[in-house]
């Protein structure tokens, strides 16, 4: 069997909150098998625990926010993606503020922090959510679909009416290496006109060229430029990895997104979980996982490449 994993050691990181502009400290701790990812607002008395799952999502404007019992934690998507990318199934997240630190706008610093903690393998099998039938959701001209596949893939078609961004398309076939090398370092981005509006409404108070790619009318304002020529769509995939992890399991399926964002990602997870006939929860041996195109299990006969 492939077994669930947690951190071997406790690790701590601090950084600026994108919207509050305040310094926030976050500590990741090992957790028992079957725990999942649980956030703890340790600045509240008593502390409030919030499971990172679709039913606890309370807001998807600008970021993904989970909440429970009067407490919330926002901008969780980069950390959730980093945990997924590092193979962490179970972890406690102690946080002393209402949002995850934005760091440099990407998941790379969080990946490094998790790796510093090391990985502990449990004796309890990991269950994969395997897509059996297509599930699709739409909002206006935006669409997100997940279809059967022998691997976890995300294909993202990003379109903006802006001369600098325009349209970008990329497909990620997920592995720990492809996530780390191709996606984790892609930074969040925003348009200068929107940043000014957000700050006028008391949001994005911690935003700067140090933690976001800012796009003006004629180009990128960051003096160092972009990390990748298609950094924008790579970051959209990064957000999707984190948002989709709120299904509570590692996915095996092909996600196809057109102009998607946090709201539509959440809607896709919610729709999928409401339709149990469209997926199976499956345990794999390491040999089966290493050869995803040759899975011998009879119940996977319907999977496409």
């Amino acid at each position: 069997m492939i077994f669930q994993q947690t951190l071997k050691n406790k690790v701590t990181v601090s950084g600026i909150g994108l919207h509050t502009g305040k310094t926030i400290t976050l500590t990741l701790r090992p957790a028992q098998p079957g725990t999942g990812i649980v956030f703890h607002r340790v600045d509240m008395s008593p502390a409030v625990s919030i499971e990172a799952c679709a039913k606890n999502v309370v807001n998807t404007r600008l970021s993904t926010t989970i909440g429970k019992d009067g407490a919330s934690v926002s901008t969780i998507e980069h950390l959730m993606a980093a945990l997924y990318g590092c193979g962490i199934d179970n972890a406690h997240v102690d946080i002393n503020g209402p949002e995850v630190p934005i760091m440099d706008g990407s998941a790379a610093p969080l990946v490094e922090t998790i790796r510093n903690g090391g990985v502990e393998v449990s004796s309890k099998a990991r269950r994969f959510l395997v897509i059996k039938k297509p599930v699709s959701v739409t909002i206006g001209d935006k669409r997100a679909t997940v279809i059967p596949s022998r691997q976890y893939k995300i294909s993202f078609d990003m379109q903006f009416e802006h001369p600098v961004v325009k349209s970008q398309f990329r497909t990620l076939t997920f592995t720990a290496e492809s996530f780390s090398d191709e996606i984790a370092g892609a930074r969040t981005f925003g348009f200068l006109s929107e940043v000014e509006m957000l700050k006028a409404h008391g949001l994005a108070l911690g935003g700067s060229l140090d933690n976001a790619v800012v796009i003006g009318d004629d180009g990128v304002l960051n003096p160092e430029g972009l990390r990748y020529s298609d950094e924008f769509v790579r970051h959209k995939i990064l957000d999707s990895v984190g948002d989709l992890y709120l299904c509570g399991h590692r996915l095996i399926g092909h996600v196809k997104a057109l102009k998607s964002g946090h709201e539509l990602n959440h809607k896709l997870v919610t729709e999928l979980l409401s339709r149990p006939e469209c997926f199976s929860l499956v345990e794999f041996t390491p040999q089966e996982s290493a050869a995803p195109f040759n899975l011998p299990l009879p119940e996977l006969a319907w999977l496409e490449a």
Side-chain angles (χ1 to χ4, degrees), residues 19-303:
H19 292 299
T20 63
K22 297 180 179 179
T23 299
I24 296 171
T25 299
L26 178 151
T27 297
L28 300 172
R29 297 185 284 114
Q32 292 296 313
T35 300
I37 311 301
V38 183
F39 286 77
H40 306 278
R41 281 289 304 273
V42 296
D43 58 316
M44 304 181 73
S45 183
V48 177
S49 299
I50 312 169
E51 298 83 2
C53 58
K55 70 177 182 179
N56 285 336
V57 172
V58 295
N59 199 324
T60 54
R61 181 174 179 262
L62 303 177
S63 68
T64 295
T65 302
I66 54 174
K68 187 177 178 181
D69 298 333
S72 65
V73 181
S74 66
T75 323
I76 69 167
E77 57 272 9
H78 299 174
L79 176 59
M80 293 299 294
L83 290 165
Y84 192 103
C86 292
I88 301 299
D89 303 283
N90 307 294
H92 293 292
V93 184
D94 297 336
I95 187 167
N96 68 348
E99 58 182 327
V100 173
I102 193 63
M103 309 308 290
D104 70 348
S106 79
L110 297 169
V111 168
E112 181 180 2
T113 298
I114 295 166
R115 287 177 174 171
N116 288 340
V119 173
E120 183 78 27
V121 181
S122 76
S123 59
K124 186 171 182 178
R126 174 187 283 167
R127 304 180 80 187
F128 293 78
L129 195 157
V130 181
I131 303 300
K132 295 171 60 176
K133 298 178 181 179
V135 175
S136 186
V137 293
T138 60
I139 299 177
D141 62 346
K142 303 173 183 178
R143 182 175 67 254
T145 302
V146 60
I147 64 173
S149 173
R150 291 185 182 272
Q151 295 176 306
Y152 182 25
K153 300 180 182 179
I154 298 179
S155 296
F156 204 107
D157 187 350
M158 188 196 76
Q159 299 177 13
F160 280 95
E161 295 294 331
H162 193 283
V164 178
V165 181
K166 297 183 180 178
S167 63
Q168 294 183 354
F169 176 85
R170 189 175 186 89
T171 294
L172 172 76
T173 298
F174 191 94
T175 65
E177 292 75 20
S178 66
F179 175 79
S180 177
D181 295 344
E182 302 175 28
I183 302 299
R187 296 164 293 175
T188 191
F189 62 93
F191 300 96
L192 181 61
S193 57
E194 294 179 352
V195 172
E196 294 171 340
M197 180 271 292
L198 289 171
K199 290 192 174 184
H201 287 81
L203 299 170
L205 300 179
S208 71
L209 296 179
D210 293 327
N211 54 38
V213 176
V214 180
I215 306 161
D217 292 338
D218 302 316
V220 171
L221 301 184
N222 303 62
E224 75 279 9
L226 297 174
R227 292 177 176 176
Y228 317 93
S229 61
D230 60 348
E231 186 168 2
F232 307 124
V233 72
R234 291 184 192 230
H235 187 79
K236 285 290 190 178
I237 292 174
L238 168 61
D239 281 347
S240 297
V241 171
D243 287 342
L244 296 174
Y245 197 15
L246 293 175
C247 73
H249 299 277
R250 304 182 76 77
L251 280 170
I252 297 182
H254 187 177
V255 177
K256 298 184 176 182
L258 171 65
K259 302 170 69 173
S260 187
H262 301 299
E263 180 182 10
L264 198 56
N265 292 341
H266 173 57
K267 189 174 181 180
L268 179 62
V269 170
T270 301
E271 180 68 15
L272 172 62
L273 295 179
S274 73
R275 297 174 60 184
E277 74 278 7
C278 294
F279 65 86
S280 290
L281 294 177
V282 181
E283 298 173 1
F284 295 128
T285 67
Q287 292 77 18
E288 289 165 348
S289 179
F293 286 95
N294 297 291
L295 291 171
L297 301 182
E299 67 179 291
L300 298 185
W302 31 259
L303 289 181

